[in-house]
Amino acid sequence: MRPALDVLLRCGTAVVALTLALPSFSSALAQSSQLAQVQMGGTVEEVRIEGSERIEPETVRSYLTVQPGDQFDAEKLDKSLKVLFATGLFADVTMRRDGNALIVKVVENPIINRVAYEGNDRFDDKALNDEVQLKPRTVYTRTRVQADVKRILDLYRRSGRFAVTVEPKIIQLPQNRVDLVFEINEGKLTGINSINFIGNKAFANDDLQHIIQTKESRWYRFLSSDDNYDPDRVTYDRELLRKYYLSNGYADFRVVSAVAELTPARDGFILTFTIDEGERYHFGHIGMNVGLKDLTPADLMPVVLTKDGEWYNADLIEKSIDKLTNAVGDRGYAFIDVRPLITRNKDARTIDLTYDIAEGPRVYVERIDVNGNVRTLDTVIRREFQLAEGDAFNTSKVKKSEQNLKNLGFFKKVDVTNAQGSAPDKTVITVNVEEQSTGDLTIGTGFSTTQGLLGNFGIHERNLLGRGQDLRLNGTISQYSNLLDLSFTEPYFLDRQLAAGFDIFRIQQNNQRLQNYDQYSIGTTFRLGFDLSENIHDTINYTIRQDQITNIATSASIYVTQQSGTANESSVGQTLVYDQRDNRLEPSSGYYLQLQDTIAGLGGNISYSKQIVSAGVYHTWYPKWTVGIVAEAGDINGLGAGVRLSDRFFIGGDNLRGFANAGIGPRDILTSDSLGANRYYTVQATQQVPLGLPEELGLTGRVFVDAGSAFGIDVTRIAGEPIQDSHQIRMASGVGLSWKSPMGPIKIDLGVPVLKAPNDQTEVFRVSFGTKF
């Protein structure tokens, strides 16, 4: 940054410090001195204006309450002075009397030539210009400068820099113009030296520090701003504490105060929460009043999550209200009102809860207004709504619609509100969105035990042309394989909830080190996905594919050599998923079931029927201790011919830790080549283990046990070429470590086989690393 102040100094201009001594007077002193030379009494015959340069004398006269013909009156003259100062146009105004003439002498405030900044590294000039109100060619006043100093200070403090100082200076120029320079000393980031809690008995300080978002400053939090003091974040922390205690039985909990004290050195804050836990309550009697026809409490109680005798939990009450609203709405009642009626028994420390369900006021959606979408089409937003104009208003559907918009990932912020429409029985829903970038360009490098050194690139646009379409181009180049994949998805095909798309792929695999051959595949897949219900999704696909097995080593198994050549496949398949997980990427509770079916033979020279069924269940039995069990089984049968090598199942590696890729299953005993299996099953049990380290480090541990088997092969046996094909179960156990590093996810597994067959290939140490720039 070129120092604006130094440049102007070199031009020979004078710098004047902006202090409280600039031309301006307190109102009391100003009035006494500025009217001292005016003798009262007599008639004003003339009003003369002196000192005006830019401002016309007539403009000055228009502000005066004293005009020719009026008396020299102290009250009117005083009022005129106040009016002139209030315009902000003048640095000084004096009045004197010359005979019967009133002389008004003004000193005009200067005009700002330009606004400059010195010492600003955290925010560029544009960000500061957007914050301040003074602009070039506007009138300079000390009050406005002080207001802008405060705005700059607030901007820096919001970013965690409370040691910042701002000194405004003016540089006088000809023709009553000035350059305004803000000299900024940003200071160091003002972190959180310590976080203390007063009044907590049920939970230790460390437990509560994990609940709030604000964190103590540590060296490893350099990628986070949570350890910088932010008053808004502290307000959010108060709410987090309240929710935490209310969900653990403390119905009377309150945060008495949250005080942030700046250290004398101004290098950090000491944050202290004073809390009143109150008593801990159990649920007493859970009841229900239903004021709707054809509905009884027995019909609705099964969806209620709160139970008699359990600890009081406000979260469960809110969730129960949502479930009751949905359950009643599914029975055709659009207008309902569910209210929790609470009776606190302080002596018994119990809370009786009654869900009062009655018919609410009949309100209809008059219209839905969408604001803030510059790029995204209105139709993309409106189709995510479960309500349309004219429908009965339903709070649950509005919340679900808002969540649908957030799930798109197109918007940084989504806010859905409603207000009364043109009549009491009508409401207007307003959707305010703030768009964000939906395009990604990724370039990555990495290493894995399976692929060796690898590089990848990707171009991904999730909202193509604002239509909500998804376009992706991915490529991976590694030591042992090359992949190129082009994918396109239209989420609302034919304006229906049908996700239609296609994939074009090209795969080249070097299997020499494991199976003594190379494989080349090219093809395309057309798919159509749709929801059968809220948690059941089905995808139908059609694939045209060509596989070539080439470059077979001379030492390869005869059973591999027989597979040399080209095969053309035409197949249709479906994937049916029932998903009840809380998070598909990192589930902590819930379960899923998945069934895949593929039939090949609708053309081409390959025919088979393949089924894969998988299921997983997850449960967090203690905070951050999540156990997951995933089971999978597959079967493939050739229709009129044997199953080709490229279509069989190869088990090991990620789906059976402790064993190498294709490490188990049918194998040529003489050459040790893996031949693939027609059937397999695996079971993986993983216990996530917190390491007691700060969450910001992104390190988690795990303990696992994997078991499975792969067997069955329909080839013509050749004398002297024995095949190992055993149903024997294999098992391995071990530990693992995951790190969400700044360079990308890193996973390390150490697995030791416990049960294995004689010719299985094991892999004790497995690592995968990837990064995106």
Side-chain angles (χ1 to χ4, degrees), residues 162-163 190-191 193-194 260-270:
F162 281 78
T190 314
N193 287 3
S194 65
E261 297 177 289
L262 190 60
T263 61
R266 302 180 63 87
D267 61 349
F269 279 90
I270 299 174

Side-chain angles (χ1 to χ4, degrees), residues 530-545:
F530 49 91
D531 291 328
L532 298 177
S533 69
E534 183 178 355
N535 299 307
I536 302 178
H537 184 79
D538 195 12
T539 301
I540 300 173
N541 62 76
Y542 173 69
T543 301
I544 302 173
R545 174 178 181 141

Side-chain angles (χ1 to χ4, degrees), residues 432-449:
N432 293 308
V433 299
E434 182 180 347
E435 293 182 320
Q436 63 181 359
S437 174
T438 56
D440 299 311
L441 173 63
T442 60
I443 301 175
T445 62
F447 172 81
S448 74
T449 309

Side-chain angles (χ1 to χ4, degrees), residues 353-364:
L353 175 62
T354 301
Y355 295 97
D356 187 69
I357 305 175
E359 189 170 7
R362 294 180 175 271
V363 179
Y364 298 89

